[in-house]
Amino acid sequence: MSSTTSIRAKAVTLAQMQALISGLQKQFPSGQFTLENTEFTTATLVQALQSLVDAINEVNTAQAAAKAAVAKLGVTVSKVGPIALALKRTLLSMFGTATTTLILFGLEPRKAPAPRTGTEIAAAAAKAVATRLARGTTSKKQKLKVSGNVTGVTVTPVTAPTAAPAPPVTPVSPPAQLATATPTAPPSGTAGQ
């Protein structure tokens, strides 16, 4: 039974019991009834029905208090939870593997991760590749290979205002090259003639 149905059923029952009490007191103020082979007076019936009304009201009050307590708990957890977590982390870093000291705080030392098997390493690598493919992530070099195509773009050149003509530059002639004289040998066979 859902909580909405339960709330509705309690409200209907409460209204019926209150109507029965009111009707009995108005119509049969000093009546006598035999119900389920038991003798009842109006007063005893009203007392029995009122006990059910009181029980329903107690439950409603308790549920409202529980709802308020749960809401208060949520607010308190949101405030104190991060502080407690930070304290646990600090204590774990302060005492490391000092098991006896950590037990005083209700903490256990961090367990070293179990070495992974070859199958687990291969599965993790395959998952990483699949994730990169799914996300479309690439390396820097692969990103450089990707370029887009653009069509229909007109480039208009920006014309700068014309600058004043530059003063004439007189060309400097290169320094004269020094001619190196190399002695020439007389033609052979003409020296003795």
Side-chain angles (χ1 to χ4, degrees), residues 31-46 48:
Q32 296 214 356
F33 301 89
T34 303
L35 306 171
E36 299 284 328
N37 296 326
T38 306
E39 295 288 327
F40 292 97
T41 64
T42 297
T44 56
L45 281 174
V46 167

Side-chain angles (χ1 to χ4, degrees), residues 165-176:
V169 178
T170 51
V172 179
S173 59

Side-chain angles (χ1 to χ4, degrees), residues 21 77 79 82 93 97 102 108 113 115 120 149 163 168 178:
I21 291 170
V77 165
K79 288 180 182 176
S93 66
T97 57
L102 289 174
E108 293 180 7
E120 291 172 335
N149 294 328
L178 299 174

Side-chain angles (χ1 to χ4, degrees), residues 3-39:
S3 63
T4 307
T5 307
S6 175
I7 291 169
R8 195 175 305 130
K10 283 190 301 184
V12 167
T13 303
L14 186 62
Q16 286 175 349
M17 294 304 109
Q18 288 170 335
L20 284 172
I21 291 170
S22 175
L24 283 171
Q25 289 172 335
K26 286 180 184 173
Q27 293 296 319
F28 304 103
S30 56
Q32 296 214 356
F33 301 89
T34 303
L35 306 171
E36 299 284 328
N37 296 326
T38 306
E39 295 288 327

Side-chain angles (χ1 to χ4, degrees), residues 60-134:
N60 287 341
T61 303
Q63 285 178 335
K67 188 181 272 188
V70 168
K72 183 178 178 182
L73 174 65
V75 170
T76 306
V77 165
S78 67
K79 288 180 182 176
V80 179
I83 296 168
L85 188 60
L87 177 61
K88 287 179 184 179
R89 281 193 221 124
T90 302
L91 292 171
L92 284 169
S93 66
M94 284 173 62
F95 298 111
T97 57
T99 307
T100 54
T101 307
L102 289 174
I103 287 174
L104 293 174
F105 297 102
L107 300 173
E108 293 180 7
R110 292 188 181 113
K111 295 179 182 176
R116 295 194 303 172
T117 64
T119 306
E120 291 172 335
I121 293 171
K127 185 176 180 181
V129 170
T131 302
R132 284 179 67 102
L133 286 173

Side-chain angles (χ1 to χ4, degrees), residues 102-191:
L102 289 174
I103 287 174
L104 293 174
F105 297 102
L107 300 173
E108 293 180 7
R110 292 188 181 113
K111 295 179 182 176
R116 295 194 303 172
T117 64
T119 306
E120 291 172 335
I121 293 171
K127 185 176 180 181
V129 170
T131 302
R132 284 179 67 102
L133 286 173
R135 292 181 182 165
T137 54
T138 57
S139 67
K140 265 187 174 180
K141 288 183 181 180
Q142 289 172 328
K143 285 180 186 176
L144 290 175
K145 294 177 185 176
V146 177
S147 63
N149 294 328
V150 179
T151 58
V153 175
T154 306
V155 178
T156 307
V158 178
T159 55
T162 55
V169 178
T170 51
V172 179
S173 59
Q177 292 182 359
L178 299 174
T180 55
T182 55
T184 56
S188 61
T190 57

